[in-house]
Amino acid sequence: MLARDRVLPVPGPIGERLPSGGLQRGTVTAVDGPYGAGATTLALRLASAASAAGEWVAAVDGERALGGLAACEAGIALDRFAAVRGVSPQQWPATVAALLDGVAFVVACTPTGVRAGDARRLVARARERGAILVALGAWPFEAMLRLHVTGAPWEGLGDGAGLLVRRPLAFTVDGRGGLMPGEVTAPRRLARAG
Amino acid sequence: MANLRTERSSAERSSHDAIRTCCVWWPDWSVVVARRTDPECRDLPVVVLEPLGSRRTGLVRAASLEARRAGVVPGLRRREAEARCPGVIVRDADVGAEARTFEILARAIEELTPRVQLERPGRLSFPTRGPSRYFGGDDALVAHVRAATASVDPGDVPARVGVADSRFAARLAAGHDTVVAAGATGAFLEPWPVRVLGDPELADLLVRLGLRTLGAFAALPAPSVLARFGPAGARAHRLARGVDLHPPALAPPPPELVETHEFEPPAERVDVATFVAKTMADRLLSALAARGLACTQVLVEAETEHAEVIARCWRHDRALTPGALAERVRWQLEGWLAASEGSARGDATPGTGASARRHDTELLAADAVTGGLTRLRLVPEEVVPATGRQLGFWGGDAVAADRAARTFARVQGLLGPDAVVTPVVQGGRTPAECIRWVPWGEPREPMHFRSEGVWPGAVPSPAPARVLDPPVAAELLDRNGAALTVSGRGDASGVPGEVRSAALPQGGGRVVAWTGPWLHDVRWWDPIERRRHARWQVVVRAGGIDIACLLALERGRAVLEAVYD
């Protein structure tokens, strides 16, 4: 496999902030941030890049809280997407490992109390399979990239008027070769595409 | 394996491509089984609902004659059925019991002929040439079939038996309980409306073209039908002419296509064997597909630890899909393994159905398996060229799709079938309503009708990335610290000032921006299911971060429905 094929390009302003313009296959990217700051949206936007490249995407969602409509609006092709819901923390490592075997892009909400040993094994599994793991939440082991969402004010909603329209996706990039911090705006989608 | 081929003489083949068939049918089999297990509802109208967990849960699966007279048809919602037929008894379908009871009848008919082909619980067919000669004519054969089925008492409903020159015609004849004389099948089919072909789209088109009956459709030349209506039309045309869909294959399927699994240790429970059957069905059909073949008839063969070998043939009008094949294997295993399981389960169950169940267990035990299964074989008995499925144009995606499908199936094995779900966008107002999570492997159909565009009153885009399921209790307070309420006319008692909820960091905080209330009066025409909500989009400053969320108020109780994370 050529070196450039090892990178999943992420289009748009998010990709510009990432080293080599995308996510490297076979690596783990940790995305975290305070509750409500936009970490889930960022993970879905990364997943949509994989979906646009024709890959299958799986999400591990222990809290049964992932918004399907948000996944659709982020641009994930729903016919190549599945979510594993209601996974207990005990089953979480085995489930993620099984998904890395057959799916090119896995988004996993990390429950609290995942052991570093399990995380290390998942890093090895991802490397071996050439799959991308995006760990949402506190990742207890080293990761190729760490994206930390800092949160930004919402636009469009006023005091008793307006609607939520958009929010700049502010995040810092850490890891090997991170770039300068900055802001990325998540555009509002007008049509709800099926 | 050679049964259908050896049976046809050259004279028959030259006349036309059809096998004279007898079809035995119990209409509304689910009702027959429900009445049998629960004698209390014998004389009352009964409606059986689709089993729990299927995608049609809550819809009518079958209705008894009394209920049908009152206007109940399959596919209705439960409430609608109860409204049309007051006092109707509603039962959930018991798929296992349906399969087990049918096995008893299949055995009774197997006494008459070895070539029984099961189509689904409630309907079977067999070629009549041999048995009819043996018993002295079709009428005598039908009398024997009636006697054989009456002896095992499948409830009070007599079987409907029809004989005609093709399978399709035999099924229609069974509906009328008639024997169509040899050679008269064409005339028998002529007056039927085209919708009996089972293809609503095609039937609609044919009616608009002025072809209202099977006779009119059959009179068209076959090549023109193929040119105008494609393979589906050609298939329907064969049916209308009284010709069998799949003329018996002339070459036996190669032996390497037979799918075998050895159980170690022997499988004694239906679910264990069914799980294996699913993967076997997948392998068998993909091996056939690699040769451009599809399977319409399959022999399910099992061997027990006491070296008993039992086999049963299942057929399907169209090519079997892995799901359909696995389902048929499961029905069959229910029938075989029920006797050993039933003796442990049936006697211990109190209630009205216990006697019937014990009776079944005895009937099944008469020649049931005495131990666990050690080997399961799936033999493709009849194969046809695969025409229906088309791979992706570039081909490459199919490999990744296969790999992903296997992975998801494995995770389902780890966590249960409902753990892996795919979202389907459907019509709705809230982010939760707009998505239906369908278990992996089930048809991705929306539950609510989804028109182009957005429902009136829908929560506008962007959609929240976290939809709490179930919603978390919250407190929505106005600027004076009192709980916010909404009057019957939809006026809020104040403006949102503070949100408190356990789901938010530091238990919530001050509202910095808001809009609402949006009123949703859902199902206002229905006194029982009517629900009224008021919703607000608010931005809460909690823990130093602006958190946008969607709050709903129902009956004075506020909940946090979604977070725009």
Side-chain angles (χ1 to χ4, degrees), chain B residues 178-419:
Chain B
T178 50
V179 175
V180 180
T185 298
F188 169 74
L189 287 176
E190 241 170 53
W192 288 84
V194 284
R195 75 185 145 73
V196 299
L197 291 169
D199 187 342
E201 256 176 52
L202 179 69
D204 188 41
L205 181 57
L206 290 177
V207 168
R208 279 186 281 140
L209 292 172
L211 300 164
R212 288 170 188 283
T213 61
L214 293 187
F217 183 42
L220 301 178
S224 313
V225 170
L226 179 62
R228 172 66 180 78
F229 301 105
R235 172 187 170 280
H237 192 242
R238 285 179 76 87
L239 291 179
R241 281 186 295 150
V243 177
D244 264 319
L245 274 187
H246 313 298
L250 295 178
E256 66 266 26
L257 288 180
V258 175
E259 195 60 50
T260 307
H261 182 87
E262 311 266 349
F263 288 98
E264 184 68 44
E268 288 181 354
R269 288 194 2 238
V270 175
D271 51 348
V272 175
T274 306
F275 189 76
V276 172
K278 176 86 176 68
T279 54
M280 289 174 72
D282 281 343
R283 277 205 305 265
L284 173 68
L285 292 179
S286 58
L288 283 170
R291 291 159 187 259
L293 297 173
C295 183
T296 54
Q297 183 170 322
V298 73
L299 186 75
V300 183
E301 205 178 83
E303 196 176 319
T304 70
E305 46 193 337
H306 299 152
E308 299 150 303
V309 179
I310 40 182
R312 185 79 75 212
C313 171
W314 285 88
R315 67 167 292 113
H316 195 265
D317 273 347
R318 313 196 176 190
L320 283 161
T321 59
L325 176 52
E327 191 176 39
R328 274 153 185 79
V329 177
R330 181 166 58 90
W331 289 341
Q332 194 52 61
L333 294 169
E334 280 275 358
W336 284 335
L337 294 175
S340 47
E341 270 191 17
S343 53
R345 189 180 51 189
D347 299 332
T349 317
T352 45
S355 67
R357 207 168 299 140
R358 203 170 308 126
H359 181 57
D360 287 356
T361 310
E362 281 160 20
L363 280 171
L364 283 166
D367 55 345
V369 299
T370 54
L373 300 185
T374 53
R375 181 188 292 173
L376 187 62
R377 292 176 79 214
L378 299 182
V379 185
E381 280 229 308
E382 194 178 286
V383 294
V384 293
T387 49
R389 285 178 54 222
Q390 186 82 47
L391 290 177
F393 185 65
W394 299 105
D397 287 349
V399 180
D402 253 20
R403 217 155 56 107
R406 271 202 305 276
T407 307
F408 294 145
R410 207 172 116 212
V411 175
Q412 280 180 321
L414 279 174
L415 304 174
D418 293 339

Side-chain angles (χ1 to χ4, degrees), chain A residues 17-82:
Chain A
R17 304 268 318 282
L18 302 177
S20 64
L23 300 179
Q24 211 168 331
R25 290 175 195 268
T27 64
V28 175
T29 302
V31 177
D32 64 353
Y35 189 82
T40 312
T41 304
L42 178 58
L44 290 176
R45 296 281 298 280
L46 293 174
S48 75
S51 205
E55 303 284 11
W56 281 70
V57 175
V60 182
D61 177 21
E63 297 167 23
R64 309 171 64 88
L66 190 71
L69 211 52
C72 179
E73 284 186 358
I76 297 176
L78 295 190
D79 52 351
R80 278 183 278 114
F81 173 72

Side-chain angles (χ1 to χ4, degrees), chain A residues 34-41 56 58 63-70 72-73 78-79 81-85 87 91 95 98-99 101-103 109 150 153-154 157-165 167 188-189 192 194, chain B residues 400-401 403-404 407-408 410-411 415 419-423 425 431 434-435 437 440 444 450 454 458-469 479 503-505 513-515 518 537-539 545-548 563-565:
Chain A
Y35 189 82
T40 312
T41 304
W56 281 70
E63 297 167 23
R64 309 171 64 88
L66 190 71
L69 211 52
C72 179
E73 284 186 358
L78 295 190
D79 52 351
F81 173 72
V84 184
R85 307 180 89 196
V87 186
Q91 294 165 322
T95 307
L99 288 172
D101 269 351
V103 181
C109 301
T150 51
W154 274 90
L157 192 61
D159 198 13
L163 287 173
L164 289 180
V165 175
R167 170 176 54 179
R188 180 185 183 195
R189 270 168 191 270
R192 213 165 260 176
Chain B
R403 217 155 56 107
T407 307
F408 294 145
R410 207 172 116 212
V411 175
L415 304 174
V420 184
V421 287
T422 48
V425 180
C434 285
I435 286 291
W437 293 98
W440 173 258
R444 298 178 193 186
R450 173 171 175 257
V454 187
V459 175
S461 168
R466 298 202 151 257
V467 178
L468 306 178
D469 176 25
R479 297 225 164 122
L504 295 173
W514 61 277
T515 184
W518 300 329
Q537 231 176 21
V538 297
V539 174
I545 295 281
D546 279 356
I547 302 174
V563 177
Y564 293 78
D565 184 24

Side-chain angles (χ1 to χ4, degrees), chain B residues 450-504:
Chain B
R450 173 171 175 257
S451 59
E452 287 306 312
V454 187
W455 277 24
V459 175
S461 168
R466 298 202 151 257
V467 178
L468 306 178
D469 176 25
V472 179
E475 280 178 81
L476 180 58
L477 309 175
D478 64 17
R479 297 225 164 122
N480 301 324
L484 211 60
T485 56
V486 174
S487 74
R489 304 185 72 115
D491 297 324
S493 63
V495 295
E498 192 180 356
V499 174
R500 312 230 51 100
S501 171
L504 295 173

